[in-house]
Amino acid sequence: MGIVVPWNFPTFLSLNPLAAAFAAGNRAMLKVSEFAPKTGDVLKELIETNFSDDEAMVITGGVEVASEFTKLPFDHLLFTGSTNIGRMVMRAAAENLTPVTLELGGKSPTIVHDSFPMEEAASRIAFAKALNAGQACVAPDYLLLPRKRVDEFIDAYRKVVSDSYPTMVANDDYSAIVSQRQHDRLSGILKDADEKGAELITINPAGESFEGSRKMPFVVLKNVDDSMRILNEEIFGPALPILPYDSLEEAIDYVNSRPRPLALYYFDWDKDRAKDIVARTHSGGVALNDVMTQVAVDDMPFGGVGPSGMGQYHGKEGFLTFSKAKGVVRKGRFNSTALVAPPWGNRFYNMIMAFQFWRLRKIKR
């Protein structure tokens, strides 16, 4: 099978599916990302040292190599990446009718109930949003908050971020944006929101200049609307738009009106309300009172739905996804089929037909 590995979690997203592929009896080829070349080289060396080429191998290279890789006639192809590239991968795989598992992204919503302590919500959301500077497919993409508590959350969020990252530019604990192209894309999204009337709140505790750096400060956005790119494109960065709601029903309706996300996050100690939210929304996965940790539960299925992907793996589901069940029938020396073979109307045939007629009459009663 083929495994296309993204740059943002290159070790986890190569070795985890590789383990499932091996468990299901597959050989595997991994195409690692050109945006994480050193990690790719290490993985290549490790796999070449421990496995023969007919068991596993690592392929390096750029876009052209990746494009040709997805055209190979694999028995199964796993791709992790953006929705747009996922469509291209699926088209390429279709030429060989290769079954695909697509782990894509999308806009994962986070809903905080009015009864939940905002300091706790801010702490948990900030940790996840800061991980890899928000460059994760399951990162919280937008936040639905009770209207009267928006400013309370922002104050708490600012404090958590400032305490965790008192400086950012030279801080090795805080990630940079992966490339200048992605940095420019994020800057463009923020500029678009600003020009269309959003309020941008920058969190920059040390008042640093980010000029010449691919790092970006945390940004919280208020007064956003659906005309802005920030609510239509996957952010994949340290920006967090906030949408106020006046009722929980309004928040649920908004989520359900959007493309189905890879993850949904809901903060509420009330288990019955949480159960209702899970039942009334669609998403690839859910975490309650936390963000992103559902991915770390390796015996729980992981995958998207609709624009956020198709198929799932991890644990047992990985074994099943990367397997193909083969049905086998074996008959003994006695050929029972001959009892109902032509000429029709023999005793056994008539017995079977009479039994079926009796069953149908019983069902109708």
Side-chain angles (χ1 to χ4, degrees):
M1 66 171 285
I3 302 171
V4 182
V5 183
W7 61 265
N8 54 344
F9 297 98
T11 304
F12 175 69
L13 292 176
S14 56
L15 298 185
N16 185 288
L18 181 61
F22 280 165
N26 295 287
R27 297 175 293 176
M29 295 173 63
L30 293 85
K31 167 59 182 74
V32 293
S33 174
E34 67 273 24
F35 294 110
K38 293 183 179 179
T39 305
D41 289 342
V42 171
L43 286 169
K44 184 177 177 67
E45 180 182 353
L46 286 172
I47 288 176
E48 286 180 349
T49 300
N50 292 280
F51 300 99
S52 62
D53 286 348
D54 63 352
E55 293 174 324
M57 66 167 56
V58 173
I59 308 299
T60 60
V63 175
E64 297 80 7
V65 175
S67 177
E68 293 302 315
F69 184 87
T70 58
K71 296 176 183 177
L72 296 175
F74 293 111
D75 291 324
H76 197 102
L77 181 63
L78 168 65
F79 169 79
T80 304
S82 71
T83 301
N84 288 336
I85 303 300
R87 292 190 180 97
M88 297 169 61
V89 169
M90 193 170 182
R91 280 194 291 267
E95 291 298 317
N96 296 304
L97 297 180
T98 297
V100 295
T101 298
L102 302 177
E103 300 301 345
L104 310 177
K107 300 189 71 63
S108 296
T110 302
I111 305 173
V112 181
H113 189 266
D114 188 34
S115 65
F116 200 87
M118 285 297 154
E119 295 83 359
E120 190 64 29
S123 175
R124 299 183 186 200
I125 293 168
F127 173 82
K129 193 64 176 174
L131 186 66
N132 214 20
Q135 297 170 104
C137 59
V138 289
D141 203 274
Y142 64 94
L143 181 59
L144 290 153
L145 288 174
R147 187 178 301 275
K148 63 185 179 182
R149 305 193 69 187
V150 168
D151 291 335
E152 180 186 353
F153 174 86
I154 293 173
D155 290 342
Y157 188 77
R158 179 190 285 112
K159 183 178 187 309
V160 172
V161 170
S162 299
D163 289 346
S164 299
Y165 305 99
T167 63
M168 297 180 185
V169 175
N171 188 343
D172 291 339
D173 291 337
Y174 185 58
S175 301
I177 305 304
V178 65
S179 67
Q180 190 60 47
R181 177 184 174 187
Q182 290 300 316
H183 189 280
D184 293 343
R185 181 189 65 84
L186 282 166
S187 297
I189 288 175
L190 294 173
K191 181 180 179 182
D192 172 79
D194 183 47
E195 291 175 347
K196 291 177 179 176
E199 179 184 349
L200 277 62
I201 302 167
T202 301
I203 304 175
N204 181 8
E208 299 173 277
S209 170
F210 288 80
E211 190 71 30
S213 166
R214 286 208 315 273
K215 290 190 176 182
M216 298 186 74
F218 286 78
V219 180
V220 177
L221 295 93
K222 295 170 63 178
N223 303 327
V224 292
D225 61 56
D226 287 343
S227 71
M228 302 173 185
R229 292 173 59 192
I230 193 88
L231 289 184
N232 290 283
E233 300 178 20
E234 184 178 10
I235 297 172
F236 226 67
L240 182 63
I242 294 178
L243 292 164
Y245 68 81
D246 295 309
S247 69
L248 193 57
E249 196 70 28
E250 180 186 345
I252 295 171
D253 288 345
Y254 184 84
V255 170
N256 285 339
S257 71
R258 316 288 290 182
R260 294 175 176 178
L262 183 56
L264 181 141
Y265 306 115
Y266 180 60
F267 287 79
D268 188 349
W269 298 134
D270 187 294
K271 293 182 179 179
D272 289 335
R273 276 196 303 260
K275 184 177 180 180
D276 183 61
I277 292 286
V278 173
R280 296 174 60 197
T281 56
H282 293 281
S283 60
V286 177
L288 301 174
N289 306 321
D290 206 1
V291 182
M292 293 177 60
T293 49
Q294 76 278 9
V295 182
V297 184
D298 200 54
D299 59 352
M300 187 172 76
F302 174 73
V305 56
S308 60
M310 64 176 64
Q312 54 192 12
Y313 70 111
H314 286 195
K316 178 182 177 181
E317 281 69 24
F319 176 85
L320 295 175
T321 294
F322 302 148
S323 300
K324 172 63 179 75
K326 180 189 293 184
V328 178
V329 173
R330 184 172 183 233
K331 296 189 69 170
R333 295 178 185 276
F334 176 68
N335 183 15
S336 57
T337 307
L339 298 176
V340 292
W344 310 121
N346 63 60
R347 181 186 303 173
F348 291 101
Y349 180 84
N350 289 336
M351 287 175 59
I352 291 172
M353 293 302 293
F355 177 69
Q356 293 295 343
F357 180 72
W358 173 80
R359 284 186 64 199
L360 287 172
R361 291 186 63 185
K362 188 174 181 181
I363 292 171
K364 287 181 179 179
R365 288 176 188 170

